Short mmCIF file of all heavy atoms in Angstrom, two decimals:
data_model
loop_
_atom_site.label_atom_id
_atom_site.label_comp_id
_atom_site.label_asym_id
_atom_site.label_seq_id
_atom_site.Cartn_x
_atom_site.Cartn_y
_atom_site.Cartn_z
N LEU A 89 3.73 18.59 6.37
CA LEU A 89 4.97 18.35 7.11
C LEU A 89 6.15 18.26 6.15
O LEU A 89 7.18 18.91 6.34
CB LEU A 89 4.86 17.07 7.94
CG LEU A 89 6.15 16.62 8.63
CD1 LEU A 89 6.59 17.65 9.66
CD2 LEU A 89 5.97 15.26 9.27
N LEU A 90 6.00 17.45 5.10
CA LEU A 90 7.11 17.27 4.16
C LEU A 90 7.47 18.57 3.46
O LEU A 90 8.65 18.85 3.22
CB LEU A 90 6.76 16.18 3.13
CG LEU A 90 6.80 14.76 3.67
CD1 LEU A 90 6.19 13.79 2.68
CD2 LEU A 90 8.23 14.35 4.02
N ARG A 91 6.48 19.38 3.13
CA ARG A 91 6.76 20.66 2.45
C ARG A 91 7.52 21.63 3.34
O ARG A 91 8.22 22.50 2.85
CB ARG A 91 5.47 21.27 1.93
CG ARG A 91 4.93 20.53 0.73
CD ARG A 91 3.68 21.12 0.20
NE ARG A 91 3.25 20.36 -0.97
CZ ARG A 91 2.26 20.72 -1.75
NH1 ARG A 91 1.57 21.82 -1.50
NH2 ARG A 91 1.93 19.96 -2.78
N THR A 92 7.37 21.49 4.66
CA THR A 92 8.15 22.34 5.56
C THR A 92 9.60 21.85 5.66
O THR A 92 10.50 22.61 5.96
CB THR A 92 7.54 22.43 6.97
OG1 THR A 92 7.54 21.13 7.55
CG2 THR A 92 6.15 23.00 6.94
N LEU A 93 9.79 20.55 5.42
CA LEU A 93 11.12 19.96 5.55
C LEU A 93 11.91 19.92 4.23
O LEU A 93 13.13 19.85 4.26
CB LEU A 93 11.00 18.52 6.09
CG LEU A 93 10.35 18.35 7.45
CD1 LEU A 93 10.12 16.87 7.76
CD2 LEU A 93 11.21 19.00 8.53
N ILE A 94 11.19 19.93 3.14
CA ILE A 94 11.82 19.76 1.83
C ILE A 94 11.78 21.07 1.05
O ILE A 94 10.71 21.69 0.91
CB ILE A 94 11.10 18.65 1.02
CG1 ILE A 94 11.15 17.33 1.77
CG2 ILE A 94 11.71 18.51 -0.37
CD1 ILE A 94 10.27 16.25 1.16
N GLN A 95 12.92 21.46 0.55
CA GLN A 95 13.02 22.70 -0.20
C GLN A 95 12.20 22.60 -1.49
O GLN A 95 12.18 21.56 -2.15
CB GLN A 95 14.49 22.96 -0.54
CG GLN A 95 14.76 24.28 -1.19
CD GLN A 95 16.26 24.48 -1.39
OE1 GLN A 95 17.06 23.58 -1.19
NE2 GLN A 95 16.63 25.68 -1.78
N LYS A 96 11.53 23.69 -1.86
CA LYS A 96 10.74 23.71 -3.10
C LYS A 96 11.68 23.42 -4.27
O LYS A 96 12.79 23.91 -4.33
CB LYS A 96 10.06 25.06 -3.29
CG LYS A 96 9.12 25.08 -4.47
CD LYS A 96 8.02 26.09 -4.28
CE LYS A 96 7.10 26.16 -5.48
NZ LYS A 96 6.23 25.01 -5.63
N GLY A 97 11.21 22.58 -5.17
CA GLY A 97 12.02 22.21 -6.33
C GLY A 97 12.90 20.99 -6.10
O GLY A 97 13.62 20.56 -7.00
N ALA A 98 12.85 20.42 -4.90
CA ALA A 98 13.66 19.24 -4.60
C ALA A 98 13.14 18.04 -5.38
O ALA A 98 12.05 18.07 -5.95
CB ALA A 98 13.60 18.93 -3.10
N ARG A 99 13.93 16.98 -5.38
CA ARG A 99 13.52 15.72 -6.01
C ARG A 99 13.06 14.78 -4.90
O ARG A 99 13.80 14.50 -3.98
CB ARG A 99 14.69 15.11 -6.77
CG ARG A 99 15.13 15.98 -7.92
CD ARG A 99 16.29 15.31 -8.63
NE ARG A 99 16.73 16.13 -9.73
CZ ARG A 99 17.96 16.60 -9.85
NH1 ARG A 99 18.88 16.32 -8.95
NH2 ARG A 99 18.27 17.34 -10.89
N PHE A 100 11.84 14.29 -5.02
CA PHE A 100 11.19 13.51 -3.96
C PHE A 100 10.98 12.07 -4.42
O PHE A 100 10.60 11.83 -5.56
CB PHE A 100 9.85 14.15 -3.61
CG PHE A 100 9.06 13.42 -2.55
CD1 PHE A 100 9.39 13.54 -1.22
CD2 PHE A 100 7.99 12.62 -2.90
CE1 PHE A 100 8.67 12.87 -0.24
CE2 PHE A 100 7.25 11.95 -1.93
CZ PHE A 100 7.59 12.08 -0.60
N GLY A 101 11.21 11.13 -3.52
CA GLY A 101 10.93 9.72 -3.79
C GLY A 101 10.18 9.10 -2.64
O GLY A 101 10.44 9.42 -1.47
N GLU A 102 9.23 8.25 -2.97
CA GLU A 102 8.48 7.53 -1.93
C GLU A 102 8.62 6.04 -2.19
O GLU A 102 8.27 5.53 -3.25
CB GLU A 102 7.00 7.91 -1.96
CG GLU A 102 6.20 7.23 -0.85
CD GLU A 102 4.72 7.55 -0.86
OE1 GLU A 102 4.21 8.13 -1.83
OE2 GLU A 102 4.06 7.18 0.12
N LEU A 103 9.14 5.34 -1.22
CA LEU A 103 9.35 3.90 -1.29
C LEU A 103 8.14 3.20 -0.66
O LEU A 103 7.78 3.50 0.47
CB LEU A 103 10.62 3.53 -0.53
CG LEU A 103 11.09 2.11 -0.57
CD1 LEU A 103 11.38 1.67 -2.00
CD2 LEU A 103 12.35 1.95 0.28
N GLY A 104 7.51 2.30 -1.40
CA GLY A 104 6.28 1.67 -0.92
C GLY A 104 5.11 2.63 -1.07
O GLY A 104 4.33 2.83 -0.16
N ALA A 105 5.01 3.22 -2.25
CA ALA A 105 4.05 4.30 -2.50
C ALA A 105 2.59 3.87 -2.50
O ALA A 105 1.71 4.70 -2.28
CB ALA A 105 4.39 4.98 -3.83
N GLY A 106 2.32 2.60 -2.75
CA GLY A 106 0.93 2.12 -2.70
C GLY A 106 0.03 2.87 -3.65
O GLY A 106 0.18 2.80 -4.86
N ASP A 107 -0.91 3.64 -3.09
CA ASP A 107 -1.87 4.38 -3.90
C ASP A 107 -1.31 5.69 -4.46
O ASP A 107 -1.98 6.40 -5.20
CB ASP A 107 -3.15 4.67 -3.11
CG ASP A 107 -2.90 5.50 -1.85
OD1 ASP A 107 -1.81 6.09 -1.69
OD2 ASP A 107 -3.81 5.54 -1.00
N CYS A 108 -0.09 6.01 -4.11
CA CYS A 108 0.65 7.18 -4.63
C CYS A 108 0.03 8.53 -4.24
O CYS A 108 0.43 9.56 -4.78
CB CYS A 108 0.80 7.11 -6.15
SG CYS A 108 1.76 5.69 -6.70
N LYS A 109 -0.92 8.54 -3.31
CA LYS A 109 -1.54 9.81 -2.92
C LYS A 109 -0.51 10.81 -2.41
O LYS A 109 -0.56 11.99 -2.76
CB LYS A 109 -2.62 9.59 -1.86
CG LYS A 109 -3.92 9.06 -2.41
CD LYS A 109 -4.97 8.99 -1.31
CE LYS A 109 -6.29 8.53 -1.86
NZ LYS A 109 -7.33 8.50 -0.82
N LEU A 110 0.42 10.35 -1.58
CA LEU A 110 1.42 11.26 -1.04
C LEU A 110 2.35 11.75 -2.15
O LEU A 110 2.61 12.95 -2.27
CB LEU A 110 2.23 10.59 0.08
CG LEU A 110 3.29 11.47 0.73
CD1 LEU A 110 2.66 12.71 1.38
CD2 LEU A 110 4.07 10.67 1.75
N SER A 111 2.82 10.84 -2.96
CA SER A 111 3.71 11.22 -4.05
C SER A 111 3.04 12.23 -4.98
O SER A 111 3.63 13.24 -5.36
CB SER A 111 4.13 9.99 -4.87
OG SER A 111 4.97 9.16 -4.11
N LEU A 112 1.80 11.95 -5.35
CA LEU A 112 1.08 12.85 -6.25
C LEU A 112 0.86 14.22 -5.61
O LEU A 112 0.93 15.24 -6.29
CB LEU A 112 -0.24 12.23 -6.69
CG LEU A 112 -0.10 11.04 -7.65
CD1 LEU A 112 -1.41 10.26 -7.76
CD2 LEU A 112 0.38 11.51 -9.02
N SER A 113 0.66 14.24 -4.29
CA SER A 113 0.46 15.52 -3.61
C SER A 113 1.74 16.35 -3.55
O SER A 113 1.69 17.56 -3.36
CB SER A 113 -0.08 15.30 -2.19
OG SER A 113 0.94 14.84 -1.33
N MET A 114 2.89 15.70 -3.71
CA MET A 114 4.17 16.42 -3.67
C MET A 114 4.59 16.97 -5.04
O MET A 114 5.55 17.72 -5.13
CB MET A 114 5.26 15.49 -3.12
CG MET A 114 5.09 15.12 -1.66
SD MET A 114 5.09 16.53 -0.53
CE MET A 114 6.80 17.04 -0.66
N CYS A 115 3.87 16.60 -6.09
CA CYS A 115 4.25 17.03 -7.44
C CYS A 115 4.26 18.55 -7.62
O CYS A 115 5.10 19.07 -8.35
CB CYS A 115 3.33 16.39 -8.48
SG CYS A 115 3.66 14.63 -8.72
N SER A 116 3.35 19.25 -6.97
CA SER A 116 3.31 20.72 -7.13
C SER A 116 4.44 21.41 -6.37
O SER A 116 4.72 22.58 -6.60
CB SER A 116 1.96 21.26 -6.65
OG SER A 116 1.78 20.99 -5.28
N HIS A 117 5.11 20.69 -5.48
CA HIS A 117 6.19 21.27 -4.68
C HIS A 117 7.57 20.87 -5.17
O HIS A 117 8.55 21.59 -4.95
CB HIS A 117 6.01 20.82 -3.21
CG HIS A 117 6.96 21.42 -2.24
ND1 HIS A 117 6.84 22.72 -1.79
CD2 HIS A 117 8.07 20.91 -1.64
CE1 HIS A 117 7.83 22.97 -0.94
NE2 HIS A 117 8.59 21.90 -0.84
N CYS A 118 7.66 19.74 -5.84
CA CYS A 118 8.96 19.16 -6.20
C CYS A 118 9.19 19.17 -7.71
O CYS A 118 8.23 19.13 -8.49
CB CYS A 118 9.05 17.73 -5.69
SG CYS A 118 8.96 17.63 -3.88
N SER A 119 10.44 19.23 -8.09
CA SER A 119 10.76 19.23 -9.53
C SER A 119 10.54 17.86 -10.15
O SER A 119 10.18 17.75 -11.32
CB SER A 119 12.21 19.68 -9.75
OG SER A 119 13.11 18.78 -9.13
N SER A 120 10.75 16.80 -9.37
CA SER A 120 10.46 15.45 -9.84
C SER A 120 10.04 14.59 -8.66
O SER A 120 10.52 14.78 -7.54
CB SER A 120 11.67 14.82 -10.55
OG SER A 120 12.71 14.60 -9.64
N VAL A 121 9.12 13.67 -8.94
CA VAL A 121 8.61 12.78 -7.91
C VAL A 121 8.66 11.36 -8.45
O VAL A 121 8.14 11.09 -9.54
CB VAL A 121 7.16 13.15 -7.52
CG1 VAL A 121 6.58 12.11 -6.57
CG2 VAL A 121 7.10 14.54 -6.90
N ASN A 122 9.30 10.48 -7.70
CA ASN A 122 9.40 9.07 -8.07
C ASN A 122 8.69 8.24 -7.00
O ASN A 122 9.07 8.27 -5.84
CB ASN A 122 10.87 8.62 -8.15
CG ASN A 122 11.59 9.31 -9.29
OD1 ASN A 122 11.46 8.91 -10.43
ND2 ASN A 122 12.33 10.36 -8.97
N ALA A 123 7.65 7.51 -7.42
CA ALA A 123 6.92 6.63 -6.53
C ALA A 123 7.35 5.20 -6.86
O ALA A 123 7.29 4.78 -8.01
CB ALA A 123 5.42 6.80 -6.75
N ILE A 124 7.79 4.46 -5.85
CA ILE A 124 8.32 3.11 -6.05
C ILE A 124 7.47 2.13 -5.26
O ILE A 124 7.22 2.34 -4.07
CB ILE A 124 9.78 3.02 -5.58
CG1 ILE A 124 10.63 4.11 -6.24
CG2 ILE A 124 10.36 1.64 -5.87
CD1 ILE A 124 11.93 4.38 -5.51
N ASP A 125 7.01 1.07 -5.92
CA ASP A 125 6.26 0.03 -5.23
C ASP A 125 6.44 -1.29 -5.97
O ASP A 125 6.90 -1.31 -7.10
CB ASP A 125 4.77 0.39 -5.15
CG ASP A 125 4.11 -0.26 -3.93
OD1 ASP A 125 4.09 -1.49 -3.84
OD2 ASP A 125 3.62 0.48 -3.07
N VAL A 126 6.06 -2.38 -5.29
CA VAL A 126 6.20 -3.71 -5.89
C VAL A 126 5.06 -4.04 -6.84
O VAL A 126 5.14 -4.99 -7.61
CB VAL A 126 6.31 -4.83 -4.83
CG1 VAL A 126 7.57 -4.67 -4.02
CG2 VAL A 126 5.08 -4.88 -3.96
N THR A 127 3.96 -3.28 -6.76
CA THR A 127 2.82 -3.52 -7.64
C THR A 127 2.20 -2.20 -8.03
O THR A 127 2.23 -1.23 -7.27
CB THR A 127 1.76 -4.42 -6.97
OG1 THR A 127 0.67 -4.63 -7.87
CG2 THR A 127 1.24 -3.83 -5.68
#
Side-chain angles (χ1 to χ4, degrees):
L89 173 64
L90 286 169
R91 287 181 179 187
T92 62
L93 299 172
I94 300 170
Q95 187 175 9
K96 186 153 178 72
R99 296 180 180 122
F100 179 77
E102 183 182 11
L103 185 60
D107 60 14
C108 298
K109 282 185 177 182
L110 181 60
S111 291
L112 289 166
S113 75
M114 293 300 291
C115 287
S116 62
H117 185 76
C118 297
S119 63
S120 67
V121 173
N122 293 280
I124 307 161
D125 207 299
V126 295
T127 180

